[in-house]
Amino acid sequence: MRLHDELLDAARADTGLDDFGDDSFREGLEILVRSLHEEARLNAHGQTALRANLVRLLTQRLQIEDWYRRHPEIDDERIVAPLIGLGLPRTGSTALSFLLAEDPNARSLRMWEAERPCPPPSTVLGADSRIEAGRATVEERTRTSPRRGALVPASADGPTECQSLMALDFKAHIFQAYAYLPSYSTWLLDADLTSTYQYEVRALKLLQWGFPQQPWRLKCPTHLLFLDHLDRAFPDARFVMTHRDPTEVVVSVADLYAAVARSFCDEIDPHYIGELNVEHWTVGMRRTLAFRAAGRDDRFFDIDFRAMHRDPVGEIRKLYAWLGEPVTEEFEAGMQRWWTENSEKREPNTHPDPAYFGLDIDGIRPLFADYTTQMRRWTAR
């Protein structure tokens, strides 16, 4: 039996269901499982945790398809003009997503529902047990990787990246943060994620079903690499792009990757982590420049990292003026409260020396030269 077949059988046994939907997910699953088996060097916890994660994702696919089978009207839902946050990682996009989540007239993707979309939230009466399960997950992640918790704020009922929904198609960068997966990472860089984003729309429709329609606020830095594919699934999306000096970003994101990987591997390769991030983010930025240059610049609003830290509410007021939407008193008060509370809790981060990840800052800077030129123009508007 092939390795991935055992996972498929486990998901079938857990649910009593057999329809995984479109077969587009199978290639990514097979390559990922083979890479985990042959390359990853997982510790015992990593082997157990990642197997459980893959089975959970397959289980969710089965359940999503079952809900659509029993309620085909879910497909009538429309995901209209979402605002999608993107940019290099470690540019303030997470803080931005938490501030946007304070808008009572918009809808963010919450961590607990992203990790377990089924049953659709509108069908649950009373307290949803997934929220408490999400809190337990956040606590466990913080316990096993305090560094990860220090680097990225997380809340079970707060906003999260699209990674969990993208992972349902087994084409997502979150997997390569877990362990050394060079063959999967190489394949992912040039994979077609059209089906990934189409399945994300499928999941969002299910999450939205039964509620009054509100505009979605989504975010994921890795969208930079696949904007042409994303655009096919979200043709009316608008984008808010956060910006920061790439030389600061690369060290910071390598630090985060290392923190995540240490939860699942006893030994990590810092130089590989540095090289991987330089490769993927330079490719992503090159593709983003091309996407914007192809007549799509008017769909982007740009925010500089430093401006965001100086006046976060002011930057969002500008964003909402661009969107043509109001910043209500309730929204502004929620943003002020979140920023104050999290600024007080947040400790300054000191990252390892770039040399620890094999990074030469002077060598990295020219790789992002075209981007930094455009960044200065975009954020000066």
Side-chain angles (χ1 to χ4, degrees), residues 274-309:
E275 179 184 351
L276 175 70
N277 278 285
V278 170
E279 178 188 20
H280 278 241
W281 297 116
T282 52
V283 169
M285 196 50 69
R286 188 164 61 246
R287 292 175 181 174
T288 298
L289 291 173
F291 182 86
R292 292 187 65 158
R296 303 182 182 100
D297 220 20
D298 61 338
R299 293 169 63 186
F300 285 78
F301 184 89
D302 299 280
I303 297 179
D304 182 83
F305 179 80
R306 294 162 299 180
M308 185 73 177
H309 274 256

Side-chain angles (χ1 to χ4, degrees), residues 83-87 91-103 108 153 159 217-219 239-243 301-305 308-309 311-317 319-320 331 335 338-339:
L83 177 67
I84 301 179
L86 45 77
T91 57
S93 62
T94 298
L96 174 63
S97 71
F98 271 87
L99 292 171
L100 292 175
E102 295 293 334
D103 184 355
S108 293
R217 306 294 189 237
L218 306 170
K219 68 91 75 167
F239 305 100
V240 53
M241 188 168 176
T242 48
H243 301 275
F301 184 89
D302 299 280
I303 297 179
D304 182 83
F305 179 80
M308 185 73 177
H309 274 256
D311 183 12
V313 174
E315 289 300 303
I316 289 179
R317 281 192 168 280
L319 169 62
Y320 266 58
F331 182 17
M335 288 192 288
W338 187 90
W339 189 264

Side-chain angles (χ1 to χ4, degrees), residues 84-350:
I84 301 179
L86 45 77
L88 292 171
R90 319 300 298 147
T91 57
S93 62
T94 298
L96 174 63
S97 71
F98 271 87
L99 292 171
L100 292 175
E102 295 293 334
D103 184 355
N105 296 315
R107 172 82 155 83
S108 293
L109 177 64
R110 298 164 294 191
M111 177 184 285
W112 63 267
E113 63 184 356
E115 297 206 347
R116 295 189 181 275
C118 293
S122 64
T123 67
V124 177
L125 301 177
D128 196 315
S129 61
R130 288 172 292 182
I131 299 175
E132 195 56 44
R135 293 190 180 111
T137 298
V138 171
E139 291 174 4
E140 175 66 10
R141 288 176 184 171
T142 303
R143 184 187 66 79
T144 58
S145 180
R147 181 65 177 157
R148 180 181 182 182
L151 289 168
V152 182
S155 168
D157 51 1
T160 193
E161 295 183 357
C162 298
Q163 292 285 349
S164 292
L165 298 186
M166 296 169 70
L168 292 166
D169 198 49
F170 297 92
K171 302 185 189 80
H173 273 73
I174 188 63
F175 296 121
Q176 69 179 23
Y178 293 150
Y180 176 73
L181 304 173
S183 60
Y184 177 78
S185 295
T186 298
W187 169 80
L188 179 63
L189 192 59
D190 292 313
D192 186 341
L193 268 67
T194 302
S195 65
T196 307
Y197 291 121
Q198 289 171 341
Y199 207 81
E200 178 173 356
V201 169
R202 193 163 175 80
L204 290 173
K205 286 182 175 184
L206 180 137
L207 294 173
Q208 177 177 285
W209 179 54
F211 293 112
Q213 190 174 90
Q214 291 181 307
W216 282 90
R217 306 294 189 237
L218 306 170
K219 68 91 75 167
C220 196
T222 60
H223 292 330
L224 289 176
L225 287 92
F226 308 108
L227 278 168
D228 286 327
H229 310 157
L230 178 74
D231 194 42
R232 293 169 193 158
F234 299 98
D236 58 352
R238 288 177 288 182
F239 305 100
V240 53
M241 188 168 176
T242 48
H243 301 275
R244 186 181 183 184
D245 182 344
T247 59
E248 298 176 11
V249 164
V250 172
V251 177
S252 182
V253 72
D255 190 9
L256 177 59
Y257 266 54
V260 174
R262 287 191 183 98
S263 298
F264 306 107
C265 309
D266 292 333
E267 296 181 9
I268 65 168
D269 183 342
H271 283 212
Y272 169 75
I273 291 173
E275 179 184 351
L276 175 70
N277 278 285
V278 170
E279 178 188 20
H280 278 241
W281 297 116
T282 52
V283 169
M285 196 50 69
R286 188 164 61 246
R287 292 175 181 174
T288 298
L289 291 173
F291 182 86
R292 292 187 65 158
R296 303 182 182 100
D297 220 20
D298 61 338
R299 293 169 63 186
F300 285 78
F301 184 89
D302 299 280
I303 297 179
D304 182 83
F305 179 80
R306 294 162 299 180
M308 185 73 177
H309 274 256
R310 282 195 303 268
D311 183 12
V313 174
E315 289 300 303
I316 289 179
R317 281 192 168 280
K318 295 175 187 175
L319 169 62
Y320 266 58
W322 177 75
L323 290 171
E325 297 179 19
V327 174
T328 64
E329 291 184 6
E330 181 183 358
F331 182 17
E332 180 163 348
M335 288 192 288
Q336 294 282 13
R337 182 178 60 253
W338 187 90
W339 189 264
T340 300
E341 290 175 356
N342 285 272
S343 295
E344 291 173 353
K345 294 177 188 174
R346 196 162 177 79
E347 299 177 4
N349 281 311
T350 302

